[in-house]
Amino acid sequence: MNTSAPLLELSGVVKEYPALPTPLRVLRGVDFSLGAGECAAILGPSGCGKSTLLNVMGTLDLPDAGTVKICGHDVAGMNASALARLRNHELGFVFQLHHLLPQCTALENVLIPALVHENRAAAKDEASRLLERVGLLDRRDHRPGELSGGEQQRGAVARALINGPSLLLADEPTGALNEEAAAELAELLLELQRERNMAIVIVTHASDLAERFAPIYEMHGGRLKRRE
Ligand code: ADP
Ligand code: MG
């Protein structure tokens, strides 16, 4: 990894979806840069392209033009297995809905991204430590359906962190939670960001949430503008 380059760097990123009569151009030249351990919030109304942008940042989708670099490496030049390795080692994802597997316990869900590891015992210890950190250790054997919305999201956060990512990408992570659980989850994410010196990009339509993860980048007309 190139340690002098920004952790994440987008330049001139364009992304469109096929549509008639003309393609829907959602991202129209996004420039963005984030260093290791930094926070950023991307704020914009529903439908403006926030999830599209986060998917491109996380290499879940590729841009139609422009470049995405992670740790200085242009993702366009990587094959599928290199991208999968990069995602697994460097990136963690948290979505609005937890996406925990319903038939697996909390502990098993946290372990899933670590199944590729040779040392299963160490991974299991780390999963337990993470569940403890997010306040779910006593729920380790519960299935997602037996957890509250806030607990499900905390489980999803633990799962995102199991491989020690340098960047956490969070797409409306509190969007399905009540006010109290949302505030708790935001606080947890900020604590984890500081403890682990991990970078976070959070995407939201809620200004008060975005402020906690400042600096804020507003999405307008398919571009980002940093709020002063
Ligand atoms: P946000 O997350 O800000 O609500 P999205 O990135 O999900 O916005 O969507 C931006 C725009 O792109 C919306 O108009 C949406 O309908 C459209 N869109 C999103 N995903 C697709 C897709 N897979 N195919 C076609 N259009 C899409
Ligand atoms: Mg979205």
Side-chain angles (χ1 to χ4, degrees):
M1 291 285 145
N2 179 348
T3 49
S4 60
L7 180 62
L8 174 66
E9 196 173 20
L10 277 69
S11 32
V13 164
V14 171
K15 179 75 194 170
E16 49 188 38
Y17 294 112
L20 291 173
T22 52
L24 178 65
R25 186 167 280 217
V26 177
L27 306 180
R28 297 168 171 258
V30 171
D31 298 317
F32 180 77
S33 176
L34 189 75
E38 293 180 355
C39 272
I42 292 170
L43 179 66
S46 178
C48 76
K50 302 183 300 297
S51 294
T52 301
L53 176 60
L54 210 70
N55 289 342
V56 169
M57 286 177 169
T59 77
L60 297 171
D61 208 350
L62 290 172
D64 295 304
T67 57
V68 176
K69 290 184 182 173
I70 296 179
C71 304
H73 298 279
D74 188 340
V75 303
M78 295 186 196
N79 62 28
S81 67
L83 274 181
R85 214 166 32 245
L86 175 84
R87 274 197 298 272
N88 203 33
H89 288 290
E90 301 296 335
L91 306 179
F93 296 88
V94 181
F95 300 98
Q96 179 166 3
L97 300 173
H98 55 82
H99 298 300
L100 297 171
L101 296 181
Q103 69 277 30
C104 294
T105 66
L107 184 70
E108 288 162 351
N109 266 290
V110 173
L111 266 171
I112 288 167
L115 291 180
V116 291
H117 281 218
E118 281 148 34
N119 191 341
R120 291 281 178 90
K124 202 168 171 191
D125 286 349
E126 177 62 7
S128 291
R129 267 196 298 277
L130 278 166
L131 281 177
E132 183 171 27
R133 177 62 190 85
V134 303
L136 277 189
L137 193 57
D138 59 343
R139 300 282 195 280
R140 59 190 283 167
D141 297 322
H142 289 228
R143 292 191 167 74
E146 300 162 336
L147 300 174
S148 72
E151 289 169 342
Q152 290 167 343
Q153 277 307 65
R154 284 188 270 138
V157 169
R159 179 187 54 187
L161 298 185
I162 184 76
N163 289 333
S166 44
L167 172 61
L168 186 73
L169 298 169
D171 191 352
E172 311 254 15
T174 64
L177 302 180
N178 66 39
E179 206 174 310
E180 192 185 339
E184 262 178 36
L185 192 83
E187 187 53 39
L188 176 67
L189 288 173
L190 285 167
E191 285 171 12
L192 289 166
Q193 181 257 332
R194 288 190 289 261
E195 282 166 24
R196 303 170 78 94
N197 192 32
M198 174 177 70
I200 292 192
V201 176
I202 192 167
V203 151
T204 178
H205 62 271
S207 193
D208 53 342
L209 179 65
E211 270 161 29
R212 303 190 62 186
F213 291 83
I216 297 177
Y217 295 82
E218 292 175 354
M219 214 169 172
H220 280 301
R223 289 205 173 89
L224 288 184
K225 185 162 181 270
R226 186 171 165 154
R227 191 193 270 181
E228 298 307 330

